[in-house]
Amino acid sequence: MRTSTTTTSSGITLSTKSCRIKFARRFLRSLVEIKKQKRSSASSSEEEICKRSKRIKMAAYSSMARAVGPRMNWSRALLFKLRNRVGYPRLVKKKKRVTVRSNKVSRSKSSVHIDRGNKLRKLVPGGKSMDFICLLEETAHYITCLNTQVKVMQAIADNLSK
Amino acid sequence: MGSHDNEDMGFQHRNEGTLNCPSSGMSTNPLPEKVSRMAMSSGSIFKPSNAPDPFFGSGWDPLVSLSQSDNFGGSSVASQSEFTNPPYPIAMETQGMSSTSHLVQYPSDSSYVEMVPKLPCFGSGSFSEMVGSFGLPECAGISNPGCVANYNPNRDGGIDRTSTMGTQSLDDRQVSEEGALGSSPNGRRRKRVPESSPNKNAEGELNKDMSGESSDYLKEQDEKKTKLEENTAANLRGKQAGKQTKENSQSGDAAKDSYIHVRARRGQATNSHSLAERVRREKISERMRLLQELVPGCNKITGKAVMLDEIINYVQSLQQQVEFLSMKLATVNPEVNIDIERILSKDGNLQNMPITAPQFPSLPQTVLDNELQGLFHMGFDSSSNIDSLGQNASRLKPEQ
């Protein structure tokens, strides 16, 4: 993880510091809201905790995606998914995915790419509709953002638990 | 500058005269002298090798042409009466010398040259593939310890690439060099040279300083030399030369375009498919390198498959950490008043406070607290995080 900015070949900057600050602010705000909800319910059953943890997880991902902005494929896909999930079931359409450019040329030479590429696609949001090269770029950015996310959440958790 | 041109041109003519002698006894002495001179001007490393001799007999065009350019060391060249490109290797060398990055390739090239005779069949494999197949340990035995230090960083990268990405390695260098050299078509030629000339690593000295200075006039010389070579080598090269000229012209035009141009090496298919494939492979390798830096503990991994596995594992571990932390945050009792204060303070803390990477869920809280306190005054140390994350990643690694 770098505090400075890193630029990929395509010019995508992997800046972590500003990303971290933005994410931290958004996440804290959403966390406070979720906490307020908990206070009102005032029950700490396991189900509640599970629900809350899921909500917190969603909040973390959405705040990270928003902090990143719409410039990355994965953040857009993440926001889209979260928006659909949140509560507009009727709007959830089977979006016609851009067919993954089946790398026919490479398939004969390296099916390794394909297998692992598919695995990676499932992990990275929005990965299904990207070709392998873009997938790698997005993965790099996604990894840096996940890192910041983890660090911020860890700091918050530590602070709250003290 | 002009004097250098004359010098180089003189080399060409002289070489032609000497190399055309069928005497196999022609030592590499005259050439190395010239080479060393060229090296002085171009800062290239030349390594004469007699290895290509058996190849020449086989009439394997790609290698022959390659060795022509590479092996100004001569005896093999001399044996081939058809070889009329004594200037070619030199030209290529000078071309290659102009940028230090080219020098990186020499060790592998020289190793390749040594290995060449042992190859049973070369087929249509590209030069870089051959290099890759021979492996980089050969490079270790190669020359110029003074230059080794400079080679190493690049070589490692090149080694990784050649071992894993075959043709990609030289392509990468090609492309990167092309990009570095900008839109000059001369740059293209220069790039081609190092790849196709393993023999260049021969004896010569490596004057990196010189190479930087001589880049300008070397470009001109290279152009002239390549043109000469192409003209004279028409018999031997045949369609290859034609392809190269085509490529040159294409690359010349392409220089002004914004996209990356790849030059097909001699012996490689030059149809659009393979070129595009190579570009794609280079892109992939570039991004894989970037990912290698991101994922901790992946510096030694060479191989796309293993690297991809590591990346997948790492992403999965990060996602699991997020889930675990969200669970943890859910269980923490909400303290609204304190939250507000913490919100204000956390932003500052996040920048100052060192955060240890969350270990696996089983790790007790006390350990984290201790670590936090220990690191509290060190500031937000990202490197330590990477290390701790690296430990996590290492746990995820099935082996290693």
Side-chain angles (χ1 to χ4, degrees), chain B residues 171-292:
Chain B
D171 288 333
D172 288 339
R173 277 170 272 175
Q174 229 183 9
V175 173
S176 61
E177 287 158 6
E178 278 196 89
L181 289 166
S183 61
S184 76
N186 296 330
R188 298 251 167 64
R189 301 199 186 180
R190 203 174 312 134
K191 291 168 196 170
R192 195 158 49 103
V193 174
E195 297 166 355
S196 58
S197 62
N199 289 337
K200 292 178 193 174
N201 299 330
E203 32 187 69
E205 316 139 340
L206 176 60
N207 293 334
K208 288 145 203 168
D209 302 336
M210 299 292 293
S211 64
E213 296 163 357
S214 59
S215 60
D216 291 336
Y217 57 82
L218 277 177
K219 287 181 188 178
E220 302 167 6
Q221 294 161 4
D222 295 344
E223 219 178 4
K224 291 177 201 164
K225 281 167 194 168
T226 50
K227 280 180 185 163
L228 269 176
E229 294 162 7
E230 280 161 4
N231 293 337
T232 53
N235 298 336
L236 192 65
R237 312 273 172 77
K239 40 185 174 175
Q240 288 171 0
K243 282 178 188 171
Q244 284 157 11
T245 49
K246 271 188 225 162
E247 285 178 46
N248 292 343
S249 59
Q250 285 172 2
S251 58
D253 297 336
K256 285 116 189 174
D257 296 339
S258 59
Y259 47 90
I260 294 172
H261 292 283
V262 181
R263 168 172 298 186
R265 289 183 294 281
R266 204 171 291 174
Q268 276 189 333
T270 55
N271 58 344
S272 61
H273 282 305
S274 47
L275 283 174
E277 233 187 280
R278 209 172 318 129
V279 169
R280 185 176 167 272
R281 262 179 270 138
E282 286 160 16
K283 281 188 193 171
I284 288 177
S285 67
E286 245 183 88
R287 280 149 182 78
M288 293 293 290
R289 259 176 284 145
L290 183 71
L291 281 166
Q292 211 168 19

Side-chain angles (χ1 to χ4, degrees), chain A residues 1-2 8-9 24-25 35 39 52 105 109 113 116 123 133 137 140 142 147 151 154 158-160, chain B residues 277 286-287 290 294 304-305 309 314 319 325 329-330 332 342 346-347 350 355 358 372 386 389:
Chain A
M1 171 81 87
R2 306 172 193 80
T8 63
S9 59
R25 288 214 188 97
K35 297 289 183 186
R39 218 159 36 96
R52 216 180 311 131
V105 184
K109 293 183 184 174
H113 269 200
R116 288 171 175 80
L123 287 176
I133 294 173
E137 275 181 39
Y142 187 58
N147 265 326
K151 284 178 190 167
Q154 180 69 28
D158 292 335
N159 263 326
L160 283 179
Chain B
E277 233 187 280
E286 245 183 88
R287 280 149 182 78
L290 183 71
L294 282 177
K304 277 185 276 191
D309 280 339
Y314 189 59
Q319 287 177 342
L325 282 170
L329 286 170
V332 170
R342 289 203 181 121
K346 264 168 207 167
D347 285 352
L350 284 169
I355 299 169
L372 276 173
I386 291 171
L389 282 172

Side-chain angles (χ1 to χ4, degrees), chain B residues 71-132:
Chain B
N71 192 15
F72 50 88
S75 59
S76 57
V77 177
S79 63
Q80 294 283 331
S81 60
E82 293 168 326
F83 283 120
T84 54
N85 304 328
Y88 182 71
I90 295 171
M92 299 311 239
E93 282 167 337
T94 54
Q95 289 174 357
M97 295 312 136
S98 57
S99 62
T100 56
S101 59
H102 293 283
L103 298 169
V104 176
Q105 304 169 6
Y106 292 144
S108 58
D109 289 340
S110 57
S111 68
Y112 167 77
V113 173
E114 289 164 341
M115 293 293 295
V116 161
K118 298 171 197 171
L119 278 181
C121 65
F122 300 94
S124 61
S126 69
F127 187 83
S128 58
E129 280 170 357
M130 312 273 287
V131 175

